[in-house]
Amino acid sequence: MSGKTILLVIGGGIAAFKSLDLIRRLRERGHRVVPVLTKAGSEFVTPLSVSALAGEKVFEDLFSLDDEAEMGHIELSRAADLVVVAPATADLMAKMAHGHANDLASTLLMATDKRVLVAPSMNVRMWEHAATQRNLKTLREDGILICGPDEGTMACGEFGYGRMAEPMEIVGAIEAALNDGPLKGKHILVTSGPTHEPIDPVRYIANRSSGAQGTAIARALLALGARVTFVTGPADVAPPTGADVVAVHTAAEMLAAVEAAGPVDAGVFAAAVADWRVASASDQKIKKDGKGLPVLEFAENPDILATVCASDTRPALVVGFAAETQDVIAHATAKRKRKGCDWIVANDVSPATGIMGGAENDVTLITADGAEDWPRMGKDAVAEKLALRLAEALGGASGI
Ligand code: CTP
């Protein structure tokens, strides 16, 4: 992506320290970052560190004659390609939702004619508060893009939603919002997460997939400018900002959602789909009735990947996954042929590898040309590498 100008408003939260990393990463990718520090923000990070990292003057004061002489707040709000608020505190979100303009940050958020992306950060109770949720809804309705927050342990020691999204996730959301990557104009379908197959209304059969790899892939594709339809089973991680998200439970629902997504340029089938469902799931909770143990009979689920590969609307590029616990390459190579996909991302998911549910992945990419072993790396890095390969292939280069 060619370098863009991002106006970064840093609010007053402990996550402001992560905004320093965000500035660094945006600059590494060739973007210019013009920082605006709120009064509360300057309690957490100093103007000097922000300015040093951005290589720019830091704007802080609405009524500064110096700042206004250099670049007035109206101009400042419009000279950027995108306005980003990170961290966005509960207070800043409330101001935005209600149209307050009583300091530099809130004034230029009112004055801008550019898209605004907000990365909330606050204590879980503040995030869950009805007022914040109301403001969030208003911001969404106003067309403001929201990235995060993530779930995790916070600086205050509590656990839950409220932690600001990681800098690379924000970078992904920023680049998706700028929508100017090599995948601009391409529509890509990604399946992700496990499926849950009901036994009765309260019990189900599942698997250990967290959805982390599929989510990272969707995010990386969005960062390269693709339109992404993200069909996800019940995952542990939040779906990517900016994707068209379709949440499903069962394999049958996933197939229906995939078919409803319409023609796409590529499909990445990262979901860990249950191979079997309970043949006649009970409508009522199965009770211990003293007549012995229940016996479950299984029926085979549709193979979504194989169905798509055999369909009339087969995408130009189909990428499957092969989660194996032994003879990884041999099984995955056979699976590529059997299912009819172009590429298979194969990995060893034996418990000892820590891959299922973990942060890293160790994959081999299998194409018509053979097997390519990638070094073990973070799931985000695998996703970025795969997204770039997709961009290359869809751009007309050989390799499909
Ligand atoms: N897949 C699918 N629908 C299914 C089963 C699997 O779309 N019902 C897709 C997965 O998303 C993945 C690929 O097929 O991209 C391979 O999944 P995997 O579970 O490794 O293969 P299986 O078909 O289950 O084969 P096996 O049981 O022999 O390992």
Side-chain angles (χ1 to χ4, degrees):
M1 174 179 287
S2 54
K4 301 282 180 183
T5 300
I6 289 140
L7 186 67
L8 175 66
V9 176
I10 303 174
I14 187 70
F17 80 92
K18 284 205 230 172
S19 301
L20 299 178
D21 192 33
L22 175 64
I23 294 173
R24 187 175 65 81
R25 288 176 180 268
L26 285 167
R27 291 198 67 204
E28 269 170 15
R29 296 166 83 92
H31 302 299
R32 177 178 172 222
V33 181
V34 178
V36 175
L37 197 53
T38 66
K39 191 161 180 314
S42 66
E43 301 286 341
F44 291 89
V45 288
T46 69
L48 190 60
S49 42
V50 173
S51 171
L53 277 164
E56 299 278 342
K57 171 186 167 59
V58 180
F59 292 87
E60 291 181 89
D61 193 354
L62 180 59
F63 301 112
S64 154
L65 272 181
D66 283 353
D67 289 1
E68 282 297 306
E70 208 169 301
M71 192 190 268
H73 59 266
I74 302 285
E75 204 183 326
L76 188 59
S77 74
R78 297 187 180 172
D81 295 297
L82 185 75
V83 180
V84 176
V85 188
T89 57
D91 181 55
L92 254 174
M93 286 175 65
K95 278 184 174 173
M96 289 175 73
H98 294 275
H100 289 203
N102 57 1
D103 59 9
L104 180 63
S106 55
T107 301
L108 54 86
L109 282 160
M110 283 284 283
T112 189
D113 58 353
K114 295 293 160 30
R115 295 188 86 187
V116 177
L117 183 130
V118 159
S121 165
M122 65 199 73
N123 166 274
V124 59
R125 306 269 167 256
M126 293 173 78
W127 174 251
E128 286 171 355
H129 195 284
T132 303
Q133 291 302 311
R134 232 179 4 251
N135 292 335
L136 179 69
K137 186 164 176 278
T138 304
L139 294 180
R140 283 215 163 97
E141 285 164 3
D142 289 349
I144 306 274
L145 303 165
I146 313 287
C147 176
D150 288 345
E151 191 183 33
T153 306
M154 295 176 205
C156 56
E158 285 192 77
F159 182 88
Y161 279 97
R163 206 168 69 172
M164 188 168 89
E166 290 305 315
M168 275 318 287
E169 190 178 346
I170 302 176
V171 169
I174 288 171
E175 294 193 338
L178 293 166
N179 192 23
D180 192 22
L183 288 172
K184 186 174 178 176
K186 303 287 182 201
H187 182 189
I188 302 182
L189 169 80
V190 178
T191 70
S192 182
T195 63
H196 285 184
E197 307 296 331
I199 297 171
D200 67 16
V202 296
R203 304 179 178 98
Y204 56 81
I205 293 172
N207 61 63
R208 294 186 198 281
S209 167
S210 63
Q213 187 63 82
T215 304
I217 291 168
R219 212 182 291 135
L221 293 168
L222 285 161
L224 297 183
R227 176 186 157 207
V228 174
T229 296
F230 186 70
V231 179
T232 176
D236 296 344
V237 294
T241 307
D244 300 328
V245 179
V246 188
V248 299
H249 286 94
T250 64
E253 287 169 11
M254 187 171 273
L255 176 62
V258 163
E259 287 178 334
V264 292
D265 297 288
V268 180
F269 294 82
V273 185
D275 290 318
W276 306 283
R277 66 181 179 279
V278 177
S280 49
S282 170
D283 291 346
Q284 302 297 331
K285 185 180 172 199
I286 302 171
K287 305 292 285 179
K288 292 193 292 291
D289 55 8
K291 292 185 200 145
L293 298 174
V295 176
L296 297 180
E297 266 193 50
F298 289 94
E300 196 161 332
N301 269 333
D303 190 314
I304 302 167
L305 174 61
T307 306
V308 169
C309 287
S311 75
D312 295 343
T313 52
R314 184 193 194 280
L317 178 61
V318 181
V319 184
F321 274 67
E324 309 291 347
T325 55
Q326 56 184 345
D327 298 333
V328 177
I329 309 295
H331 282 311
T333 305
K335 211 169 263 185
R336 190 184 84 85
K337 289 229 171 75
R338 192 169 72 239
K339 303 214 179 203
C341 54
D342 301 294
W343 301 348
I344 282 259
V345 180
N347 58 9
D348 184 345
V349 292
S350 310
T353 65
I355 284 172
M356 249 191 171
E360 291 188 333
N361 209 345
D362 191 350
V363 311
T364 301
L365 182 70
I366 294 169
T367 69
D369 299 333
E372 198 184 296
D373 202 10
W374 291 2
R376 189 177 174 108
M377 55 183 130
K379 287 185 175 171
D380 285 345
V382 169
E384 279 168 31
K385 200 168 153 80
L386 187 68
L388 285 171
R389 288 293 284 269
L390 259 108
E392 215 176 270
L394 292 175
S398 61
I400 294 187

